[in-house]
Amino acid sequence: MNNALYNHIKRFVDIDKAECSKLLGYFDHFNLAKKDTVTHAGEKCDHLYFVLQGCLHTYFIDNNGAEKTIQFAIEDWWITDFLAYHHQIKTEYCLQAVEASKVLCITYEKQQELFAEHPVMESYFRKIYEVGYGAAIRRLQYIFTYSKEEIFYRFRDEFPEFVNRVPQYLIATYLGLTPEYVSKLRRKPVS
Amino acid sequence: MNNALYNHIKRFVDIDKAECSKLLGYFDHFNLAKKDTVTHAGEKCDHLYFVLQGCLHTYFIDNNGAEKTIQFAIEDWWITDFLAYHHQIKTEYCLQAVEASKVLCITYEKQQELFAEHPVMESYFRKIYEVGYGAAIRRLQYIFTYSKEEIFYRFRDEFPEFVNRVPQYLIATYLGLTPEYVSKLRRKPVS
């Protein structure tokens, strides 16, 4: 069993190593190079990814042809287009490695088998999605509440490593800012 | 068993009426008058609501003292501050009835008992949250992509009854617009 996934599952549900070791058979393991794309916009969304090492993001192309990052995932985060994945339809997003990454990948079909054979994983994903849903709502609140400068500083305070690791043009679109604006803020000293 | 909840659960998981009829014991049933508040900002968030009839919203008070709607729930929708509910901490949101409403309410503690005794409900809520999480990300995409006018028209096209039913100042803050702007757009004929 991959230790990172085992440790993550244990944080949310009671599971022993023997059962957990059976779970890995449901997953594929990939190494991704920087900028490798695992799902393209327009493809059926039937894969879910867990980041072991590195960073992935989903982005879409806006009306002006610009790439806009809508989600990030670093170590121990799950990522896909959850709405398209749930409905098993085409996604509007590209899912790409921001940096060289190692991921575990499960197909929708395999995940349904996983739920049937290991019901504890229903509880695990119910909790993962509960947190993800709540955090996405909180992100909307920030966008509606704070000035662009406040949004950047709150994000930097909450995820300092992230800001130093991820290209600033990606952070900019994720926060609804321009790359030039983030570049200017980033040069300011940490308060 | 309440038929609305039974019909909703059946849409997501295989469950028979006998098992479903046992679920109602975990819930309280409330009638709410318009503007009744069920959770205040600053209170521990330990209740989850299912709307049988009517409409609820969560809102917060922004830095200028203005109420901003962050979520709506109409019939068959679940609502709470999911992040605070998951962590069993205080919420920053008020949860209030927009119109006279009937709701089912479950406490966090009762929901954990429900999961232990009826594991099929883990699957049901996993799917509810999967959709909610995906939809919240899609809402962020709209905010980053479309002009204010496009955001309103897309919302109106997707939820026409909603726009006619809910006060426009609530729709405005939900979409990140001013009430005056929504009022102006609403008077335009449907294209």
Side-chain angles (χ1 to χ4, degrees), chain B residues 39-96:
Chain B
T39 311
H40 293 86
E43 290 178 357
K44 185 177 170 189
C45 183
D46 56 5
H47 292 74
L48 174 62
Y49 293 86
F50 180 78
V51 180
L52 298 171
Q53 191 183 313
C55 179
L56 272 66
H57 72 143
T58 51
Y59 68 87
F60 64 97
I61 309 293
D62 76 5
N63 295 337
N64 301 317
E67 285 184 12
K68 292 207 169 172
T69 292
I70 195 80
Q71 293 178 101
F72 281 113
I74 54 174
E75 288 80 7
D76 291 347
W77 290 21
W78 291 93
I79 192 165
T80 190
D81 172 354
F82 292 97
L83 201 59
Y85 182 77
H86 175 86
H87 292 297
Q88 285 293 281
I89 57 174
K90 290 178 184 175
T91 177
E92 295 172 32
Y93 305 145
C94 289
L95 178 53
Q96 187 188 55

Side-chain angles (χ1 to χ4, degrees), chain A residues 51-97:
Chain A
V51 181
L52 297 171
Q53 191 183 314
C55 179
L56 273 66
H57 72 143
T58 51
Y59 68 87
F60 65 96
I61 309 293
D62 76 4
N63 295 337
N64 301 317
E67 284 183 13
K68 293 207 169 172
T69 292
I70 196 79
Q71 292 178 103
F72 282 113
I74 54 173
E75 290 80 7
D76 290 347
W77 291 19
W78 291 92
I79 192 165
T80 190
D81 172 353
F82 291 98
L83 201 58
Y85 183 76
H86 176 85
H87 292 297
Q88 284 294 280
I89 56 174
K90 290 178 184 173
T91 177
E92 295 173 33
Y93 304 145
C94 289
L95 178 53
Q96 189 189 55

